[in-house]
Amino acid sequence: MIRPPSETHRDAHPYLRAATAGIRHHTQVVDRSASAEPVDRPHLDTLHAHLTALHRLADQLAGRTRPERPAAARHLAAAHTRLWQAADAIHAAFHLLPATAGDGDCRPDRLPEGPPVLTICQRHLAAVHAVRRKTTATDLAS
C-alpha cells in the first residue's frame, strides 16, 4: 500500500514534529493567558536552547543538501543565518532581564551543568564557534 505524502512526511521526523507541537501549544497558552506577565529568564533560556538546536539542524541539512541541490542549500544556509540572529537576540534579551529570586542564591556546586546564567552563555558560545566557522560577517549583517 502506498501512503499519501502527508503520512510519509509525518512519520519521518517524529521528534521534530513533537517539538513543533509543543511550541504551538505553548504559544496558544500564552495567547489565552489573561495575565500580562512579562517573559522571564527561564522562558528565554528554553527558547534559546530550541533556537540553537534548530540552528544546528539547519546547518546539518544545508551540508547534506549542498552537493546535490546547491540552490536549496543556499536557502537552508540563509535560514541557518536567520536562526543564529534570532538566538543572538534572545541571548541579549536574557541578559537584560532582571535575575529571578532563585538566581541570586544559586548553588553551582549543586547543579551539574553550572548556574543557569552560565548554561545559556555556554550554549551560546558553542553556537558562536559554529557560526564563525561557516558564516561571514557580511552574511550576519544582512
Side-chain angles (χ1 to χ4, degrees), residues 58 61-66 68-79:
L61 293 174
R64 289 181 182 175
T65 306
R66 191 169 289 113
E68 294 181 26
R69 307 260 192 262
R74 282 192 296 275
H75 286 285
L76 288 171

Side-chain angles (χ1 to χ4, degrees), residues 78-116:
H80 175 260
T81 300
R82 305 284 187 294
L83 285 166
W84 164 251
Q85 291 167 335
D88 193 41
I90 294 293
H91 180 251
F94 176 89
H95 286 294
L96 292 175
L97 290 177
T100 60
D103 284 350
D105 52 347
C106 175
R107 298 278 315 262
D109 54 322
R110 293 186 183 174
L111 298 171
E113 67 275 1

Side-chain angles (χ1 to χ4, degrees), residues 19-59:
T20 303
I23 288 177
R24 269 193 218 119
H25 172 74
H26 182 70
T27 302
Q28 290 170 354
V29 168
V30 169
D31 284 344
R32 286 182 295 198
S33 176
S35 65
E37 293 181 23
V39 69
D40 57 0
R41 281 179 147 197
H43 191 158
L44 290 184
D45 184 29
T46 303
L47 184 57
H48 185 269
H50 191 77
L51 284 170
T52 53
L54 284 172
H55 177 259
R56 231 177 6 258
L57 178 60
D59 184 36

Side-chain angles (χ1 to χ4, degrees), residues 48 52 55-56 84 87 122-132:
H48 185 269
T52 53
H55 177 259
R56 231 177 6 258
W84 164 251
Q122 290 169 346
R123 183 184 327 112
H124 198 70
L125 188 59
V128 165
H129 290 299
V131 167
R132 287 186 180 161

Side-chain angles (χ1 to χ4, degrees), residues 117-140:
V117 71
L118 293 182
T119 305
I120 188 173
C121 293
Q122 290 169 346
R123 183 184 327 112
H124 198 70
L125 188 59
V128 165
H129 290 299
V131 167
R132 287 186 180 161
R133 282 195 308 265
K134 297 189 176 194
T135 311
T136 66
T138 305
D139 290 338
L140 292 176

